[in-house]
Amino acid sequence: MNRRRSAATAIALVCALTVLAAPGQAYADPKPPRSEQSLQAVRVEIDALYRKAAAATDAYNLAEERADKQSSEIVKLAREIVEGQKRIDRLKKQVGAEARAQYRTGGLPPEAQMMLSGDPQHFLDGAGRIREGQQAAKGLLGELSRTQADLEAYTQDATAQWQRLESSRKKKEAAKKEIKKQIAAAEKLESTLEKEERERLLKMEQEAEYRAQTAWLDSGVLRGAAGRATKSGAAAVAYATAQIGKPYVWGAEGPGSFDCSGLTSQAWLAGGRAIPRTSQEQWKQLPRVDVKDMRPGDLIVYFDDASHIGVYVGDGAMVHAPRPGRDVTIAGAGSMPILGVVRPDK
């Protein structure tokens, strides 16, 4: 009996090992690692997805900034409308009082009645009062007319601002969806990589940045550059470097996390200058300087669409918030394609 049980156990064990070793089962050989060429293609695709997310983030930030301004303007206009209506009510009461006074005196104001009194002195006094009264009535009606026109203009402006606010909200929501879409696609692609492949991918990114930085420095672009930071620029640099290690979060401008333009705008706010919120608007609106003339505190704008930006800290380095999944860090100023340099305190 015991022999039969032992034989049955042995047979079961052999069968189990046979199943586990069969092709296509859970313990099949792992897939072969990607070639360098294949991994490089993955790196390019991931970079492109995060670049698209960065562009969408800029659109989101711009729509949010405009929506905030439009909301503030609507509140201001609402106050103007309330004050204008109060002013109209007050003026109408004054006009009504004038009309009632004329009705009580048979349509003639007291001054006109004095003119008819036959007393020469009363006549002269009455004539002066008539002119003053006419001017006051004319001024009252003119003020009422202007106030009504202002009120109508405020109402029209408020309506226009509501329409623009709604447009900004729609753009913001569309940009938000695009950001999530691109980040999700990048994360999905990254999730297909094995641990060793992710490590190789990071090394490839670092090597590419190093090659770009070396070529940039070897070009002599910084040869002879000795610009010193202004007091505001030094404060911006101090703020930016103090954020190193904090995570990138799209749409964030501190204090716990940042996107690229959130970091630069807050750095310069610490330097005493309010600058546009987005990298594209910072590129459009701030004074530009030549790369060879840049000094610490200047902002370096990257890529043809101005979708990335960092704070130059000197010695060929900059601080930036790279992308989702990464932290604020220091990097070579020439490690990405430079579009140009702007100086907030020029």
Side-chain angles (χ1 to χ4, degrees), residues 50-51 54 205 209 245-249 258-261 263 303 307-310 318-331 336:
Y50 279 123
R51 284 276 313 283
E205 289 177 2
E209 290 174 359
K246 293 183 179 180
Y248 177 105
V249 174
F258 298 86
D259 62 22
C260 67
S261 58
L263 177 65
F303 305 113
S307 59
H308 193 68
I309 195 164
M318 60 91 176
V319 170
H320 71 143
R323 64 167 176 81
R326 301 290 170 81
D327 297 332
V328 175
T329 187
I330 191 164
M336 293 176 287

Side-chain angles (χ1 to χ4, degrees), residues 240-320:
T241 53
Q243 311 314 311
I244 291 175
K246 293 183 179 180
Y248 177 105
V249 174
W250 62 266
E253 47 188 330
S257 57
F258 298 86
D259 62 22
C260 67
S261 58
L263 177 65
T264 55
S265 60
Q266 290 301 305
W268 268 97
L269 193 61
R273 299 291 178 96
I275 64 175
R277 170 64 177 87
T278 71
S279 59
Q280 292 177 348
E281 291 301 306
Q282 288 170 13
W283 171 242
K284 287 178 184 177
Q285 297 184 34
L286 298 178
R288 299 178 186 181
V289 295
D290 197 286
V291 174
K292 65 181 177 60
D293 297 323
M294 68 180 174
R295 65 192 185 199
D298 289 347
L299 305 180
I300 307 177
V301 185
Y302 294 96
F303 305 113
D304 291 340
D305 59 356
S307 59
H308 193 68
I309 195 164
V311 181
Y312 184 60
V313 296
D315 297 324
M318 60 91 176
V319 170
H320 71 143

Side-chain angles (χ1 to χ4, degrees), residues 201-221:
L201 186 67
L202 179 59
K203 186 177 180 181
M204 290 172 71
E205 289 177 2
Q206 293 170 339
E207 288 173 349
E209 290 174 359
Y210 176 77
R211 287 194 300 271
Q213 175 73 358
T214 301
W216 183 69
L217 292 174
D218 288 347
S219 71
V221 67

Side-chain angles (χ1 to χ4, degrees), residues 46-261:
I46 289 173
D47 284 349
L49 290 168
Y50 279 123
R51 284 276 313 283
K52 289 177 182 177
T57 298
D58 230 33
Y60 175 90
N61 289 335
L62 181 60
E64 184 176 49
E65 184 180 40
R66 286 178 176 172
D68 288 343
K69 287 180 179 178
Q70 286 150 6
S71 295
S72 298
E73 186 63 25
I74 287 169
V75 171
K76 180 182 175 184
L77 286 167
R79 288 174 181 158
E80 294 284 1
I81 289 169
V82 170
E83 288 302 315
Q85 191 60 58
K86 287 180 180 178
R87 203 155 52 242
I88 285 174
D89 292 343
R90 187 175 64 251
L91 290 169
K92 283 182 176 179
K93 286 179 181 179
Q94 288 180 256
V95 171
E98 290 284 337
R100 287 191 297 274
Q102 289 190 13
Y103 176 78
R104 285 195 300 269
T105 57
L108 291 175
E111 294 85 352
Q113 292 185 26
M114 282 189 287
M115 286 181 63
L116 301 175
S117 67
D119 186 321
Q121 187 59 47
H122 280 192
F123 177 84
L124 292 175
D125 291 344
R129 289 193 184 99
I130 281 180
R131 284 193 297 270
E132 291 174 2
Q134 287 174 339
Q135 288 173 355
K138 186 178 180 181
L140 190 64
L141 292 171
E143 185 180 355
L144 179 59
S145 178
R146 287 192 300 272
T147 303
Q148 287 174 327
D150 288 345
L151 187 60
E152 184 178 349
Y154 293 148
T155 303
Q156 290 175 349
D157 285 349
T159 300
Q161 288 292 355
W162 273 115
Q163 291 171 344
R164 285 192 282 269
L165 177 60
E166 187 60 24
S167 175
S168 293
R169 283 174 176 165
K170 288 179 180 177
K171 288 178 181 177
K172 186 175 163 182
E173 286 305 309
K176 186 176 181 179
K177 289 179 181 178
E178 183 64 17
I179 293 165
K180 290 185 174 181
K181 173 185 171 184
Q182 299 300 338
I183 291 176
E187 289 176 344
K188 183 178 180 181
L189 184 55
E190 286 180 314
S191 70
T192 65
L193 301 172
E194 301 293 336
K195 180 181 177 182
E196 182 184 337
E197 289 175 330
R198 286 196 294 271
E199 291 172 351
R200 284 167 57 205
L201 186 67
L202 179 59
K203 186 177 180 181
M204 290 172 71
E205 289 177 2
Q206 293 170 339
E207 288 173 349
E209 290 174 359
Y210 176 77
R211 287 194 300 271
Q213 175 73 358
T214 301
W216 183 69
L217 292 174
D218 288 347
S219 71
V221 67
L222 294 183
R223 194 172 294 127
R228 292 187 177 183
T230 60
K231 183 178 179 181
S232 295
V237 168
Y239 181 92
T241 53
Q243 311 314 311
I244 291 175
K246 293 183 179 180
Y248 177 105
V249 174
W250 62 266
E253 47 188 330
S257 57
F258 298 86
D259 62 22
C260 67
S261 58

